[in-house]
Amino acid sequence: MLGGFANRIAHVDLTHRTVEYRAIPDDWARLYIGARGLAVRYLFENGPQVEPFSPENMLCFMNGPLTGTDANMSGRQAVVTKSPLTGTVTDSHIGGWSAARMRWAGFDGLVITGKADAPVYLYLENGEVSIRDASDLWGKGIHTVIPMLKERYGEKDLSVMAIGQSGENLIRYAGWVNENDRAAGRGGTGAVGGSKQLKAIVIKAARAIPKADDREAWKVAHKRALATIMDEKNITSPRKGGLSVYGTNVLMNITNTMGALPAFNSQKTSFGSRAELISGEYVNDNILVDNPTCHACPVACKKEVEIKEGPWKGLRMESVEYEPAWAVGANCGLDDINTVAKLIDLCNDHGMDPIELGNVFSCYMECCERGYANGGGPLLWGDAMAMVEMTTKIALREGVGDILAEGTARVAAHFNHPELSMTVKGQAIPAYDPRGLKGMGIAYATSNRGACHLRAYTPASELGVIPLKTDPLAWQGKGELTKLFQDLHAFSDSLDLCKFSAFAEGAEEYAAQYSAYAGIPFTVEDVLVAGERIYNLERRFNNLAGIAEGSDYLPDRFTKEPSTMPGSEGHVCELDLMLEEYYTARGWVNGVVPEAKLQQLQVV
């Protein structure tokens, strides 16, 4: 077996309440690396045609070969399933400490099928998994459940991942949360947990760092990777780089100035002077109280805040990240940082994706503004108290919240105006307007899990964060750039390293670290081929699930309505031109993977 693995997967059948322990198929480990890639392979074998809320759907919690090691930024885990929001394969990654602790408990992952006849949670310790009663936890928020379980099992060496009321009530964008505020938020993985009556995963394990197969090679690879992260030229540089000092929300003012910050449901590409009031700089100067971090991470991009005045005074939470702050902030016409923090905290407690929630709000707000809401009850731009109240109504499926619980695309369809849905494949966009950042347009359109910035983070190039710099307003070359990033990120997601590692590290660093841990030769070319294989496997899954030709698109607002804001004024997103370039680079035919490509990559 390759180094870096515990070589132990717990296969949990909740219907029959059984657990089997199996090794990872050796060829799967070699071809799909781990975490995202490996979990997608399990899902593929389970069948792309399963219904997301059926007992037959598979829910995987999967580590990579570097998870829980002393590799920098290695505290990540992939949560993978067939999405109830999009019908695609989806993977959502969670930080904090639960991933590392699962590896220390003796597991590479969990593969969960079936449906329990009553609420349950899983307890992991010393290489064993038990299924335990969760009746007393059901109906409670995550911020209540985690302390209950820590009191039950002791806080020392304990991590808990849980769903809130959103997952229980099958909100299609419910997620999993650990450490109270670290989430696998996108794609509805928490709703799949709720459909199985799985409330939580509790892991008890002391720190036990796995050793590299080639320890001398590891010393060299680790030193090089750390040096790139620490380099003051990079935004990852601890306490000096923008990501470390301000967190992800360092981007708010930058994208706003470029005319690449969607506002008012993407009717505008800037929030004007109001963006400063929800920015990382404003947070740092006014409500920041701590800089917590994840396992083996020197960057500490998380920003813990405390509200000092107003109705939410005394609330302490993390983190006012860029994407959620934009989603419930600029996207909804809200510039009160205290309410932004409250809304994100509610999402963490209820266990729902704040990116999708913010788009649900903005879509419904525009429906109300245009008179399309059909008596659903008005929700006005920037109405702080109404947004707070509506968040809980959605989590509990009360009133119009039952409609909004279905996700942005279904909300717009319900009110007979799908053009107001800023979604791709059923998932809402994050915080980048493709009229001001053209690479994001092709990245959104071709993402295998629906609109997403993390499949191919082209802003790293378009904002000049990495040496490979491109013009944000030029479409030429963005199809090829997107393919490169998709393949590279698919590999790093399978190691599983934090996506922010890519602001400093590249394929060379990834190859050297994986080679040392696995104990096999591995090159830059091997990194990109493995990433391409994983991306094509995901696309094959989607094709077989019925998401075939013509599924790579953008909302008309981005391709037909020019930006009116400084920085991108007059621009639309030239998707068709970029798609042609992208499909040529991929060797796909209008979004479909040819059989020859699958054979070439050893997918079939």
Side-chain angles (χ1 to χ4, degrees), residues 273-506:
S273 60
R274 299 170 69 187
E276 165 64 23
L277 300 175
I278 56 173
S279 68
E281 292 86 345
Y282 190 88
V283 168
N284 187 74
D285 293 343
N286 291 277
I287 58 175
L288 181 68
V289 292
D290 198 8
N291 296 279
T293 192
C294 301
H295 163 73
C297 182
V299 179
C301 72
K302 298 299 178 186
K303 303 301 163 190
E304 188 168 332
V305 304
E306 184 173 347
I307 306 306
K308 300 173 183 176
E309 59 185 11
W312 328 123
K313 181 179 180 180
L315 171 65
R316 186 164 176 148
M317 57 79 67
E318 66 167 82
S319 175
V320 184
E321 303 278 0
Y322 171 58
E323 310 291 339
W326 159 80
V328 299
N331 191 41
C332 296
L334 177 67
D335 62 10
D336 176 52
I337 193 64
N338 294 341
T339 304
V340 166
K342 174 63 176 178
L343 287 164
I344 297 171
D345 186 64
L346 279 174
C347 285
N348 292 338
D349 189 24
H350 292 313
M352 74 170 76
D353 174 14
I355 299 176
E356 190 72 34
L357 176 70
N359 278 276
V360 163
F361 280 161
S362 66
C363 177
Y364 185 54
M365 287 169 172
E366 188 172 354
C367 284
C368 292
E369 179 183 50
R370 296 180 181 274
Y372 302 154
N374 300 332
L379 187 63
L380 307 179
W381 299 111
D383 190 336
M385 296 304 296
M387 291 169 70
V388 168
E389 292 171 5
M390 188 65 76
T391 301
T392 298
K393 287 182 178 180
I394 291 171
L396 302 179
R397 284 188 174 269
E398 293 179 350
V400 73
D402 189 40
I403 298 169
L404 305 187
E406 292 294 294
T408 310
R410 289 175 174 85
V411 168
H414 175 85
F415 293 114
N416 298 313
H417 284 277
E419 75 278 6
L420 302 188
S421 165
M422 300 302 111
T423 59
V424 176
K425 300 179 182 71
Q427 180 162 278
I429 66 161
Y432 309 85
D433 195 299
R435 289 167 288 191
L437 287 162
K438 301 295 177 73
M440 272 285 86
I442 183 68
Y444 287 167
T446 59
S447 165
N448 286 331
R449 70 170 189 171
C452 176
H453 58 299
L454 294 174
R455 303 304 87 180
Y457 194 70
T458 56
S461 172
E462 295 176 309
L463 298 177
V465 174
I466 60 174
L468 178 59
K469 295 175 174 59
T470 57
D471 181 353
L473 295 177
W475 68 264
Q476 296 87 345
K478 296 298 171 64
E480 294 175 349
L481 179 73
T482 295
K483 177 195 178 294
L484 173 64
F485 278 18
Q486 285 172 342
D487 294 346
L488 183 63
H489 294 343
F491 183 81
S492 65
D493 280 347
S494 299
L495 284 178
D496 187 345
L497 294 180
C498 176
K499 195 62 57 66
F500 298 151
S501 67
F503 289 148
E505 300 178 52

Side-chain angles (χ1 to χ4, degrees), residues 499-516:
K499 195 62 57 66
F500 298 151
S501 67
F503 289 148
E505 300 178 52
E508 295 87 352
E509 287 79 14
Y510 293 154
Q513 291 175 88
Y514 176 67
S515 177

Side-chain angles (χ1 to χ4, degrees), residues 46 64 81 83 107 129 137 146 152 155 157 179 195 203 337 342 353 404 447 457 463 493 502 505 525-526 534 589:
N46 190 55
T81 192
S83 168
F107 295 98
V129 176
L137 307 176
I146 291 179
R152 187 172 301 173
E155 289 194 26
D157 300 330
E179 321 298 345
S195 74
I203 311 163
I337 193 64
K342 174 63 176 178
D353 174 14
L404 305 187
S447 165
Y457 194 70
L463 298 177
D493 280 347
E505 300 178 52
E525 183 181 359
D526 293 331
I534 292 162
V589 180

